[in-house]
Amino acid sequence: MRGIVLFGGSSHQALTQRICDRLSCEPGKSFLAKFSNNETRVELYESVREQDVYIVQSGCGHVNDNFMELLIMIQACKTASAKKVTAVIPLFPYSRQPDAPFGKGAPLTRAPPMTVPSTPKTIPSTPKGSHPTTPRAGDFGTTGGATRLAEEMNGLELMGQEIFRLSSAMTGPTGSFYDNPSTSGGYRQWVARSGTLVAELLTCSGADHIITLDLHDPQYQGFFDCTVDNLSAFPIMIKYIQQHIYDYKDVVLVSPDAGGAKRATSIAEKLHMDFALIHKERRRPDKPQKHDLMLVGDVRGRRVVIIDDIVDTGTTIIKAAKLLHENGAKEIYCICTHGIFSGDALDRIEKSYLDKVIVSDSVPQEEHTKLCSKIATFPVAPLFSEAIRRIHNGESVSMLFDPSHELF
């Protein structure tokens, strides 16, 4: 393609090369390294004046270093008079951290206590031109008024004591909310707004456009002041199910939590497949962190496919596979967009009831497939290359959300 320059960051250079192969172009020449004090060093050896620049950098590996490298590359291109800079971020960093300072609410263990209301009454002013009348027995300034004022003051004192008692119950011995874990389900005023910060850093560095894949929270793109194209891997997942899972219409699609129900049902409706849901139920109000898993649907003697967007430590899908096995599932697969596999996730997946875990190559998977025989991948380079081609030519990208559209 003419008129574009495509750079690749150090996070996933293999994906950059595959995108360039499909676009019939070469990756832009650059030098990415670290100084002796671990500061990021970026040098670009391509002319980008009045060019459309695309920078591919995934939020994996050393996330903070890769993100800072992306910001410097964007700024370098804007300084070199690039016409437009687009950040291609297959796995968006910090997209799973909550931006709102509210946690998940926990059920109340008892009804809230009643407080004594305070209803002070105002003394009406004397109308202009009228003569003052004899004070009534209930007005302030008389013996009865003094008694009623004393009752109002007692009510305010009782209410103050009740407020102090409730605040003491919410805090620990040091008077801090950190000391009481039961407050984790309410307002968390110490949560950093990392989502807004990352969006502002990208726009302030000079990014004119963002292309990403399956944001964990779709409303995240509302934090940006520039255009965001949130591509979907569902069409690729649908084709994978049709081409690699035999007799797929007899398979049950499973969502591992209530948050991913919409994600799984959309695929189940398109393929006319059965659907099941794993629900996390809190049966111990005094221990809101402990959940009991409950399966909604019938999987006995059936093959099942778990649909999710991110596999990090693998705890969610491993517990889901165990529950499905206990309920009589015959074969258990998992198809996921992003496979991070941090910690001992690969070892735990190898020992779990999962038969196969299929993830995209939005994150480098070469080492993961060598360490775990249950890991398989599907490519996303055709999706991003077609998106870049359409955006550069001013065409619509809505066709990329259609499973019938042939990408490869």
Side-chain angles (χ1 to χ4, degrees):
M1 290 183 64
R2 295 183 178 180
I4 73 168
V5 178
L6 198 149
F7 291 104
S10 58
S11 64
H12 201 345
Q13 295 182 352
L15 178 61
T16 304
Q17 186 60 53
R18 286 193 286 267
I19 293 175
C20 290
D21 292 341
R22 294 188 64 88
L23 293 175
S24 300
C25 64
E26 291 294 328
K29 297 179 181 180
S30 62
F31 180 75
L32 308 174
K34 294 282 188 182
F35 288 103
S36 58
N37 60 351
N38 284 329
E39 291 182 356
T40 302
R41 179 182 180 183
V42 173
E43 296 180 8
L44 305 181
Y45 301 139
E46 293 280 349
S47 175
V48 297
R49 182 177 294 275
E50 294 301 317
Q51 299 286 321
D52 282 348
V53 180
Y54 295 85
I55 304 174
V56 181
Q57 183 80 301
S58 192
C60 57
H62 300 284
V63 179
N64 295 329
D65 290 342
N66 293 335
F67 184 69
M68 181 57 65
E69 183 181 85
L70 174 63
L71 296 178
I72 297 176
M73 293 179 73
I74 293 173
Q75 179 62 30
C77 293
K78 295 298 286 187
T79 305
S81 302
K83 182 172 66 175
K84 179 182 177 183
V85 179
T86 301
V88 182
I89 312 175
L91 173 59
F92 203 94
Y94 291 90
S95 62
R96 291 187 296 164
Q97 295 195 18
D99 193 75
F102 291 94
K104 297 180 180 179
L108 294 175
T109 57
R110 59 183 177 85
M114 297 295 295
T115 57
V116 180
S118 175
T119 56
K121 297 181 180 179
T122 58
I123 304 174
S125 59
T126 304
K128 186 177 180 181
S130 63
H131 298 283
T133 59
T134 303
R136 294 175 295 175
D139 290 338
F140 296 122
T142 64
T143 304
T147 303
R148 189 157 59 86
L149 179 60
E151 293 176 354
E152 296 289 348
M153 296 300 294
N154 290 334
L156 289 173
E157 184 178 358
L158 290 174
M159 186 173 64
Q161 294 176 357
E162 184 67 24
I163 293 175
F164 177 78
R165 185 184 67 81
L166 291 175
S167 62
S168 300
M170 292 178 65
T171 58
T174 62
S176 173
F177 281 91
Y178 288 98
D179 297 330
N180 191 356
S182 63
T183 60
S184 60
Y187 184 81
R188 299 179 298 174
Q189 55 185 352
W190 56 84
V191 173
R193 313 305 196 264
S194 57
T196 306
L197 175 62
V198 170
E200 291 178 351
L201 286 172
L202 284 169
T203 52
C204 290
S205 64
D208 302 300
H209 195 168
I210 306 293
I211 303 176
T212 186
L213 178 66
D214 279 346
L215 283 172
H216 185 68
D217 192 352
Q219 70 178 7
Y220 192 93
Q221 52 190 315
F223 300 147
F224 289 88
D225 293 330
C226 62
T227 306
V228 178
D229 280 322
N230 182 24
L231 304 179
S232 175
F234 292 167
I236 305 178
M237 291 182 178
I238 290 174
K239 289 185 178 179
Y240 188 93
I241 293 174
Q242 291 175 331
Q243 298 174 2
H244 295 85
I245 298 180
Y246 69 94
D247 196 12
Y248 66 89
K249 290 190 177 181
D250 191 47
V251 174
V252 181
L253 289 184
V254 179
S255 174
D257 49 36
K262 185 177 180 180
R263 184 185 309 115
T265 52
S266 62
I267 298 178
E269 290 175 356
K270 291 182 181 298
L271 295 179
H272 306 286
M273 300 169 64
D274 293 334
F275 170 74
L277 170 68
I278 295 177
H279 175 61
K280 294 179 181 178
E281 185 180 13
R282 292 179 179 174
R283 297 184 180 179
R284 295 288 302 273
D286 56 330
K287 295 182 179 180
Q289 301 300 327
K290 291 188 176 181
H291 305 278
D292 291 332
L293 298 181
M294 180 177 63
L295 177 64
V296 182
D298 185 19
V299 298
R300 187 168 300 277
R302 306 280 296 275
R303 290 174 295 134
V304 299
V305 175
I306 302 172
I307 302 294
D308 209 350
D309 61 337
I310 296 177
V311 175
D312 189 358
T313 60
T315 302
T316 300
I317 62 172
I318 290 173
K319 288 184 177 180
K322 181 181 178 182
L323 180 64
L324 293 169
H325 177 78
E326 293 173 352
N327 283 268
K330 187 168 56 175
E331 296 179 13
I332 304 173
Y333 302 93
C334 177
I335 300 181
C336 174
T337 304
H338 306 291
I340 302 175
F341 303 119
S342 59
D344 61 343
L346 293 174
D347 184 56
R348 295 168 61 212
I349 288 174
E350 188 72 36
K351 299 176 182 178
S352 69
Y353 292 103
L354 290 163
D355 293 292
K356 183 175 288 188
V357 178
I358 304 101
V359 297
S360 75
D361 59 353
S362 62
V363 175
Q365 302 293 347
E366 290 78 8
E367 292 296 325
H368 297 160
T369 54
K370 293 178 182 178
L371 296 174
C372 183
S373 60
K374 294 183 179 181
I375 305 297
T377 62
F378 59 87
V380 294
L383 181 65
F384 282 103
S385 60
E386 182 65 13
I388 291 173
R389 188 192 69 81
R390 287 177 172 272
I391 292 171
H392 176 67
N393 294 331
E395 302 175 11
S396 173
V397 297
S398 60
M399 291 295 295
L400 301 178
F401 298 89
D402 185 4
S404 62
H405 183 69
E406 294 291 338
L407 290 175
F408 52 91

